Amino acid sequence: MPELPEVEGVVRSLQPTVTGRTIERVTISPTIYTSHEAGKQSIIKGLQPDEFVEAVTGMTIQDVTRRSKYIYFTLEYAGVTYKLVNHLGMSGAFFDVHDVSEIPEEKFRKHAHVTFTLDNGKKLIYSDIRRFGEMRFLQKIEDHPPLMALAPEPFDAIAKDHFLTYCALPKYSKKEIKAVIMDSHVLCGCGNIYATEALFRTKINPGRITSQLSGAEKEQLFDEIVAVLSESIAYGGSSISDYRNINGEAGGMQDRLQMYGMNICPMCHTNSEQKIIAGRNSYYCPNCQK
């Protein structure tokens, strides 16, 4: 959390707000400096905080896009483009404000860790309560190999074939299907929430071994993942726990979830059950999902 729809919502909110703006100053919280001194590299990755500040200051934000669960800021200086890559982690959020005091929730004001002062006098503030998020300044995307290993976007024409091909590989065919669809090498952007929902909608038990699913079941599952991701984007994502859209705005998809976090199946009214799969708590209906 957040997953693809939540990140997409942040990107769509950021685009009209920061595109074309020049970063005049960058301020990083003492907490981040302390973490780097202790060798932990909290939030700012690959560079020391002062190096990050020097690299980004003076850059113009050309565009903001999404890749899987990552936010890509395309930066430009003197005709050369760079990438600032952000992952929101568990609790990252952006705020477009004149001052940190305008951030609506105290927990985000308290954990404002990176502030970009823009040429219009406003501040783009990145807050992260748990500090699991990250920012990387890259000459090019290829400089961070994990980004190159991501599966195609689920909405791309080649994504279904990629998904079916990877499901058949020995590395994945012996795993539980929920673990496979949450693996970004197989299908990018789908985490615990939407994996739970897609499996419930297709009546597939999350603990089934991937090789036990028929080809038709795998195709149906892929199609339902795309459908639930698209639905969530339309409703602004799921505001669960610490997720917020830009400026603290909440999404509406959490009100449409059928199985994630539910104790009772909405279809048959059986008590739902839970199991840990790929380190995540998985809700499912033992009656509906086989």
Side-chain angles (χ1 to χ4, degrees), residues 99-151:
D99 187 77
V100 68
S101 62
E102 297 175 17
I103 295 176
E105 295 180 73
E106 169 61 24
K107 61 183 179 180
F108 287 111
R109 292 195 295 272
K110 183 179 178 180
H111 295 280
H113 292 300
V114 185
T115 299
F116 302 93
T117 300
L118 306 178
D119 60 354
N120 61 353
K122 298 192 76 175
K123 293 178 171 62
L124 179 65
I125 298 177
Y126 177 72
S127 296
D128 196 334
I129 299 164
R130 303 186 190 184
R131 301 199 301 277
F132 291 156
E134 64 179 57
M135 288 190 178
R136 292 180 184 272
F137 178 79
L138 304 174
Q139 301 287 330
K140 55 186 182 302
I141 293 300
E142 291 79 4
D143 291 340
H144 189 50
L147 298 174
M148 303 303 297
L150 293 170

Side-chain angles (χ1 to χ4, degrees), residues 8-286:
E8 180 68 19
V10 172
V11 166
R12 292 185 183 188
S13 296
L14 284 170
Q15 285 170 338
T17 300
V18 303
T19 301
R21 302 263 64 101
T22 297
I23 300 168
E24 293 191 338
R25 186 166 66 257
V26 182
T27 306
I28 296 175
S29 73
T31 300
I32 303 307
Y33 279 96
T34 299
S35 76
H36 276 254
E37 290 166 2
K40 296 181 180 180
Q41 284 205 357
S42 179
I43 298 180
I44 304 299
K45 307 292 185 180
L47 293 175
Q48 290 300 313
D50 285 341
E51 293 175 325
F52 179 87
V53 169
E54 182 177 0
V56 175
T57 301
M59 295 276 178
T60 297
I61 303 171
Q62 283 193 332
D63 197 11
V64 187
T65 56
R66 180 194 55 75
R67 177 71 173 99
S68 186
K69 301 177 186 179
Y70 293 88
I71 299 173
Y72 287 3
F73 294 85
T74 300
L75 306 180
E76 181 271 335
Y77 183 78
V80 181
T81 59
Y82 306 85
K83 293 291 185 184
L84 173 60
V85 178
N86 167 250
H87 193 290
L88 296 172
M90 295 293 291
S91 58
F94 281 99
F95 299 88
D96 173 50
V97 294
H98 288 95
D99 187 77
V100 68
S101 62
E102 297 175 17
I103 295 176
E105 295 180 73
E106 169 61 24
K107 61 183 179 180
F108 287 111
R109 292 195 295 272
K110 183 179 178 180
H111 295 280
H113 292 300
V114 185
T115 299
F116 302 93
T117 300
L118 306 178
D119 60 354
N120 61 353
K122 298 192 76 175
K123 293 178 171 62
L124 179 65
I125 298 177
Y126 177 72
S127 296
D128 196 334
I129 299 164
R130 303 186 190 184
R131 301 199 301 277
F132 291 156
E134 64 179 57
M135 288 190 178
R136 292 180 184 272
F137 178 79
L138 304 174
Q139 301 287 330
K140 55 186 182 302
I141 293 300
E142 291 79 4
D143 291 340
H144 189 50
L147 298 174
M148 303 303 297
L150 293 170
E153 289 291 306
F155 312 111
D156 291 352
I158 62 172
K160 181 184 282 190
D161 285 343
H162 178 94
F163 172 73
L164 296 173
T165 298
Y166 270 61
C167 281
L169 296 177
K171 178 179 179 179
Y172 299 108
S173 65
K174 298 176 183 178
K175 290 185 176 182
E176 295 162 307
I177 184 59
K178 188 179 180 190
V180 172
I181 63 178
M182 291 194 299
D183 190 311
S184 62
H185 300 96
V186 181
L187 196 158
C188 75
C190 183
N192 194 25
I193 296 173
Y194 303 112
T196 297
E197 292 299 296
L199 288 163
F200 178 70
R201 295 183 183 192
T202 52
K203 302 186 185 305
I204 296 172
N205 188 296
R208 280 180 65 185
I209 301 303
T210 299
S211 61
Q212 296 174 351
L213 274 67
S214 68
E217 285 179 309
K218 292 172 188 174
E219 290 201 43
Q220 182 188 14
L221 177 57
F222 177 86
D223 291 342
E224 198 57 59
I225 290 169
V226 172
V228 74
L229 291 175
S230 298
E231 181 182 346
S232 184
I233 289 172
Y235 281 89
S238 300
S239 288
I240 296 172
S241 185
D242 295 318
Y243 166 70
R244 299 292 184 276
N245 203 328
I246 187 171
N247 289 349
E249 297 174 356
M253 186 62 183
Q254 67 275 4
D255 300 324
R256 301 176 64 84
L257 301 177
Q258 299 179 64
M259 180 49 63
Y260 179 82
M262 301 299 177
N263 295 318
I264 303 292
C265 173
M267 302 301 293
C268 70
H269 308 295
T270 299
N271 289 336
S272 63
E273 295 185 1
Q274 301 175 47
K275 66 172 66 173
I276 301 298
I277 297 176
R280 307 304 299 274
N281 196 15
S282 300
Y283 286 80
Y284 67 99
C285 174

